[in-house]
Every structure is written in structure tokens, then in C-alpha cells.
Amino acid sequence: MAVVTDPQPPARTDPPASPDGGRRRIVAMTVWAVAFVAAWLAIGLPTDPAYAFVWIWAATIAWNSERPWRSHLRFARDWVPVVLLFMAYNLSRGFADNGATPHAMELIVADRSMFGWATGGEVPTVWLQQHLYRPQVHWWDVATSWVYFSHFVVTLAAAAVLWLRDRHRWAAYMRRWGFLCAAGLVTYFVYPAAPPWWAAQNGLLTEVARISTRGWKAFGMHGAGNVLNAGQIASNPVAAMPSLHTAWALFVVLFFLTATRRRWWPLLLAYPLAMTFTLVYSGEHYVIDVLVGWAYVGVTFLVVGLAERGWAVWRARHPSGKAERPTEQPT
């Protein structure tokens, strides 16, 4: 009789290969892409958390259309609390100013102190717009509009991919992301600060145009940013410090950096730098806002990482499962 001594590989838990060779997935994703573009041109880009969630959820359904509906409903179950949290976050930002005059001059002084030697005493936003902003739309305006829009999609899309591939890492991702947003929101209340375009409107800077969405006009997509433009009008003008736009960009890159080959690191790290240029050039943030946002990312990884390790140690010392008690033998 033969005896098997080598450990056997675990049974596979991933879904079997599609019997149609993936044609169903291709068709479903094509339908999703056509619907997305149609809605984008008719309504606007999905920058609202609830609106973006609907499209991301639809994408996961199209990608895994062969799976049962209970799998797709599990996605909604896990994500609805996250979406509600970010909706509350967006709404709460509007109350951060409490009617007080926002901080502006110290941000201007900080940027002039750091870069005035190279910009003739101007803040980088004013200097960049003096050299790059023209009435006609150029290729860099198109690039900045797309980079600006990516803020509303990249972090959520990365989270969706994580949920599909590794729910444990998705939970770790969400803990850090939630902490980062909470820290930013607290700062908005404690230190309401205005962006460069607000300072220009109130006479603290020379003319600054708010141009983060003008690049889409080059493609004739004048309504492509309707949702984003409406959100900018209704948004809190004193939620500039820290810049969560660049904080999110750096956060998503750092989270995946160690799992990526080093040859791709320069490309990944170029994303938060491109977001920085976009926000400073378009009048949305000062450089000091960006630097503080990056510091918040570092604090987030440090604090949440320490908390996770502390929780793991506590769980190891206080296991939740009850060990089976030995049965007493009758005497």
C-alpha cells in the first residue's frame, strides 16, 4: 500500500474559468463602459461618493457577472457604511468655517518664504498662472483636469479592486483611509483655511483663476464636469489645509508601493507630484497645504499601523475562542 507523505496543496477557492472563454465578461464590461460614457456626457463625471459608488459597484458586477447575486449584494453590504461615512464627511465640511474668517495670510507667507526666491516674491500659484494660463486651452490644462478628476475615482477604484482580490487588505486600506479623512476633517474645524482663488477674490493675492475643470472644453465636453462644478460651487471654501487631494494620491501610492516592483516606483510616485502641480496651478491649494497633507499620510500609516499591532497583541493574549474543557471522569 502506498502512503502519501507529502502535504497536498489546498483546494482551490477561486472561481472556475469561464466556459465561454471570457466573452461574457467582455460584453458586460463593454455595456458598462458605454453606459458610463453616456452618463458622463449627459450628467457629469462621478465625483459624488454615492454616484461614484454606483458606477464602481456596476463595474464589479460586470467584471464578475457569472457570480451569484449574493456575492454582489455582499459588496453593497460592505460598502454602504463607507459611502454613508464619506457623504457625512462631505456634508460636515460645509460647517467647518462656523462663519469665522478663514486663515489665508499665513499660508501666503509660508509659500512666499519657501519659493519666493524663485518666483519673484509670488506664491507658486500666481507664478504658474502667469507663465502657463492663457485664454485658450492647452494640453497641460487638459492633463490637469484629468488629474484633478482622478482624485474622486482612483482611491475608490483601488479599494474596489482590493475588495475583489483580498478583503483583509481592503479592511486595512479602509482603516487608514478613514483615519486620514477624519484627521483632515478635524483640522478643517480647528484651522479653517482658504485656497489661493479665495485669497485673490478677497484682495490678498493678485488675480488667480480657478481652472481645474477647463481642460475638458478642448474635447467639446462642456458638460462633462457638471457634477464637479456644482460640487465646487457648494463646497466649503475653507477646507484647504491639509490638501486631502494630494494626501489621497500619496496614500494610495504608498499603500501599494511595497507590493510593486521597484522599476514602477517612479511612475507611481509621479502621480502625487502631478496632483500637486494640478492643485497649485489651478488655484485650489498652496504648496504648504500639500506638504501638510503628505505629513498627515505619514502619521496615518504610523498611528494605524501601531494600533493594528497593539490590537493583534491584545487578541493573542485574550483569545476569543474558548478552549474545550476536559471532561471530568467519574470517580
Side-chain angles (χ1 to χ4, degrees):
M1 179 182 294
V3 178
V4 178
T5 57
D6 294 334
Q8 298 300 302
R12 295 185 61 176
T13 58
D14 55 320
S18 176
D20 62 359
R23 288 190 296 272
R24 179 174 178 174
R25 173 174 290 175
I26 293 174
V27 172
M29 290 302 298
T30 301
V31 171
W32 177 88
V34 171
F36 176 81
V37 172
W40 162 23
L41 296 176
I43 303 174
L45 293 165
T47 58
D48 177 79
Y51 186 34
F53 163 74
V54 170
W55 282 110
I56 292 174
W57 187 20
T60 64
I61 294 174
W63 184 259
N64 291 316
S65 57
E66 75 282 354
R67 290 187 177 181
W69 269 102
R70 64 177 178 272
S71 174
H72 303 309
L73 293 177
R74 192 178 302 120
F75 182 93
R77 180 200 66 189
D78 289 346
W79 277 76
V80 164
V82 176
V83 174
L84 292 177
L85 176 64
F86 280 105
M87 290 177 66
Y89 161 79
N90 283 344
L91 291 174
S92 62
R93 288 196 313 163
F95 300 99
D97 59 345
N98 293 320
T101 302
H103 297 269
M105 278 307 303
E106 50 264 58
L107 307 182
I108 296 173
V109 170
D111 268 30
R112 283 176 175 167
S113 299
M114 289 187 292
F115 302 100
W117 59 272
T119 61
E122 294 286 0
V123 298
T125 294
V126 173
W127 187 85
L128 285 173
Q129 292 200 2
Q130 287 175 348
H131 288 78
L132 297 175
Y133 177 57
R134 300 292 183 270
Q136 66 273 22
V137 177
H138 291 279
W139 67 265
W140 53 84
D141 296 306
V142 177
T144 54
S145 291
W146 282 108
V147 171
Y148 186 77
F149 162 68
S150 71
H151 162 75
F152 303 95
V153 174
V154 168
T155 318
L156 274 173
V161 172
L162 274 178
W163 188 91
L164 291 171
R165 296 177 63 88
D166 188 340
R167 195 174 179 277
H168 178 73
R169 288 199 73 201
W170 173 80
Y173 182 97
M174 283 300 180
R175 285 192 292 269
R176 286 158 177 78
W177 193 15
F179 182 92
L180 177 61
C181 292
L185 181 59
V186 170
T187 308
Y188 296 152
F189 279 90
V190 174
Y191 188 84
W197 63 263
W198 185 96
Q201 288 182 357
N202 289 271
L204 300 178
L205 286 175
T206 56
E207 185 175 355
V208 172
R210 194 178 190 184
I211 53 177
S212 53
T213 62
R214 74 189 300 254
W216 293 315
K217 297 178 182 178
F219 294 95
M221 298 184 297
H222 300 279
N226 287 341
V227 176
L228 178 55
N229 291 332
Q232 284 185 334
I233 294 173
S235 65
N236 177 18
V238 299
M241 169 69 77
S243 168
L244 285 186
H245 283 72
T246 48
W248 285 17
L250 183 63
F251 160 75
V252 71
V253 167
L254 291 183
F255 189 87
F256 293 100
L257 198 63
T258 56
T260 308
R261 293 183 178 180
R262 294 198 175 204
R263 64 183 179 182
W264 297 110
W265 284 15
L267 181 61
L268 291 177
L269 293 172
Y271 176 54
L273 295 177
M275 183 65 75
T276 297
F277 172 83
T278 291
L279 297 172
V280 175
Y281 167 59
S282 62
E284 299 289 345
H285 284 283
Y286 298 96
V287 177
I288 187 64
D289 302 335
V290 172
L291 298 179
V292 173
W294 288 354
Y296 273 45
V297 174
V299 172
T300 293
F301 277 93
L302 176 63
V303 171
V304 178
L306 290 174
E308 288 175 343
R309 285 191 286 273
W311 174 250
V313 170
W314 189 90
R315 289 291 300 272
R317 294 176 178 175
H318 305 81
S320 57
K322 294 182 179 179
E324 294 183 3
R325 295 181 179 178
T327 55
E328 296 183 359
Q329 297 295 332
T331 57

